[in-house]
Amino acid sequence: MATGTLTDRALGRATLARQHLLRRSDTDPLAMIEHLLGLQAQAPTPPYYALWTRLRGFRPESLSALLESRRVVRIVLMRGTVFAVSAADAHALRPWVQPLLDNDLDANPIHGAGLRGVDRTALASLARELLSDTPRTQAELRPLLADHFPGQDPAALAHGVRCLLPLVQVTPRGLWGRSGQPRLAPLDVWAGPPESDLPSPDRLVLRYLAAFGPASVRDVQAWCGLTRLSEIVDRLRPQLATFRDERGIELFDLPDAPRPDPSTPAPVRILAPFDNALLSHADRRRFISDEHRARTMTKNGIIAPLVLVGGRVAGAAKLTIGGTSAVLEVTPWRSLTSSNRSAIETEGMKLVRFAAPAAGDHDVRLGTDSA
């Protein structure tokens, strides 16, 4: 059922509402993690900041406890990157995105050549045996694999294992204030087998729409890294609402999902590094201009914390904690009003105090507007 056109602003407000970035939620961290289908976790701390900006009164110890109890795990999933997800969702999502990781075995520009001719079944079996009793880092795993595959590149073998097996980064990796090297163990060994039947791909797409919609087929594919998902969306079409964006692209959504009035105020929010809210659409103009999108990633692939003002990216932030001080530096990418700047400073101070409560000196430094 087609129901009209949604402007970029309307799309932004809809997704912000589902991401709990219009109003912080009182829900518990595990429920939020599952609603969002996981949190980007290339580094240990981003999941904590992602929850802080979405949950009222979030305490980092609550996420650490979920990791220690193995109810949340860190594992390679969508787009071949590490996510912090519930153990149940790790079991659900990893088989679905496995074709993406299988393709990387051949297409990876660094390790693909080193995996040619390798018996991948034997490689996966050996790695599972090596990691089931003793979690190991990739550096520790490489010589053990090389002993059984003489003449093969050890780094390529270890990369192959990362793609072939659902491996979690065991604690203390990812714990607040502690962390550690990423030691790997099989998902089912660390967190136990799945407790119920795995959800269908259709169900996973519906959950994506609940957290990131309205969205096009290309948006769904950008989120998970898979292709050829139009068949799933077409199968779901009878139960979905359909719209068009400003450029005429067809969008899909859950009929009863929140779509606030575009005039709804959007408070200042400071997103986590690599925040999935801004990485899960092919067309991100609901949040960020194409010009500013080109500035979001550094040359070494880092996506800094981005600052939302009025529901759109207005600049980047850098948090530095050292000694007895904690400083948030914000670089605006567009002109800001005095009230915008005051709101950024207020929200930034809350973030600095969350990140380093024991620091004696907390500061927010807001740069001059830049085009």
Side-chain angles (χ1 to χ4, degrees):
M1 49 182 173
T3 51
T5 299
L6 294 175
T7 63
D8 289 340
R9 184 183 176 96
L11 289 172
R13 291 300 188 272
T15 306
L16 288 172
R18 297 169 209 199
Q19 289 284 313
H20 296 273
L21 292 170
L22 288 181
R23 287 180 295 275
R24 283 183 166 93
S25 172
D26 290 317
T27 193
D28 63 89
L30 181 60
M32 180 62 72
I33 291 169
E34 291 196 323
H35 169 68
L36 298 174
L37 287 145
L39 307 168
Q40 297 259 148
Q42 286 96 318
T45 58
Y48 293 90
Y49 297 122
L51 291 174
W52 171 82
T53 202
R54 290 169 169 86
L55 295 178
R56 191 174 290 110
F58 171 70
R59 295 177 60 83
E61 296 81 5
S62 60
L63 176 53
S64 289
L66 289 170
L67 288 163
E68 289 187 299
S69 67
R70 309 186 186 189
R71 299 175 69 193
V72 168
V73 297
R74 297 167 52 87
I75 185 173
V76 174
L77 291 174
M78 287 76 73
R79 305 187 297 276
T81 59
V82 177
F83 276 76
V85 296
S86 70
D89 277 346
H91 282 297
L93 290 163
R94 179 57 186 249
W96 189 47
V97 302
Q98 188 59 46
L100 168 72
L101 302 169
D102 290 340
N103 181 68
D104 189 60
L105 292 169
D106 297 312
N108 187 277
I110 298 174
H111 300 301
L115 288 167
R116 289 179 193 141
V118 172
D119 184 333
R120 294 173 183 177
T121 300
L123 175 61
S125 178
L126 172 63
R128 180 176 173 82
E129 179 182 345
L130 290 170
L131 296 172
S132 291
D133 292 332
T134 305
R136 306 174 194 269
T137 67
Q138 283 206 341
E140 293 167 340
L141 190 59
R142 288 170 191 162
L144 301 176
L145 297 174
D147 286 344
H148 290 78
F149 292 90
Q152 300 295 148
D153 178 7
L157 294 172
H159 178 77
V161 169
R162 177 184 187 270
C163 294
L164 289 166
L165 294 176
L167 302 174
V168 301
Q169 298 181 354
V170 307
T171 53
R173 181 70 172 177
L175 298 182
W176 184 256
R178 292 174 57 191
S179 200
Q181 292 297 309
R183 297 184 180 277
L184 306 174
L187 169 62
D188 61 339
V189 172
W190 180 255
E195 296 182 356
S196 59
D197 293 338
L198 300 182
S200 68
D202 297 38
R203 176 60 187 157
L204 296 175
V205 170
L206 291 173
R207 288 182 61 191
Y208 164 80
L209 292 175
F212 297 93
S216 68
V217 173
R218 289 184 64 241
D219 291 331
V220 184
Q221 294 177 164
W223 161 68
C224 62
L226 299 171
T227 58
R228 302 179 182 178
L229 297 187
S230 58
E231 179 179 339
I232 294 176
V233 176
D234 284 341
R235 191 162 58 239
L236 293 169
R237 185 183 290 270
Q239 57 185 291
L240 298 176
T242 59
F243 304 89
R244 299 278 174 178
D245 67 11
E246 293 180 15
R247 291 155 288 279
I249 301 298
E250 189 174 30
L251 304 172
F252 301 88
D253 203 8
L254 306 181
D256 298 327
R259 288 182 289 275
D261 187 290
S263 65
T264 301
V268 166
R269 290 289 183 257
I270 302 171
L271 301 181
F274 306 101
D275 199 296
N276 212 26
L278 289 183
L279 300 178
S280 296
H281 301 86
D283 186 340
R284 301 176 190 171
R285 281 174 282 189
R286 68 187 65 195
F287 290 133
I288 188 169
S289 68
D290 287 339
E291 175 191 1
H292 287 165
R293 178 174 174 173
R295 302 175 67 174
T296 58
M297 183 177 293
T298 66
K299 292 181 180 178
N300 57 354
I302 302 299
I303 297 179
L306 298 176
V307 180
L308 298 179
V309 176
R312 296 187 61 79
V313 173
K318 178 182 178 182
L319 177 63
T320 304
I321 302 173
T324 60
S325 67
V327 178
L328 184 74
E329 299 175 82
V330 177
T331 302
W333 292 348
R334 57 179 169 88
S335 297
L336 299 171
T337 65
S338 58
S339 60
N340 291 156
R341 296 175 70 86
S342 177
I344 291 173
E345 290 170 349
T346 299
E347 185 73 358
M349 187 59 72
K350 293 177 183 176
L351 173 58
V352 172
R353 288 174 175 155
F354 164 81
D361 182 26
H362 300 100
D363 194 15
V364 177
R365 300 171 186 170
L366 180 54
T368 57
D369 301 342
S370 63

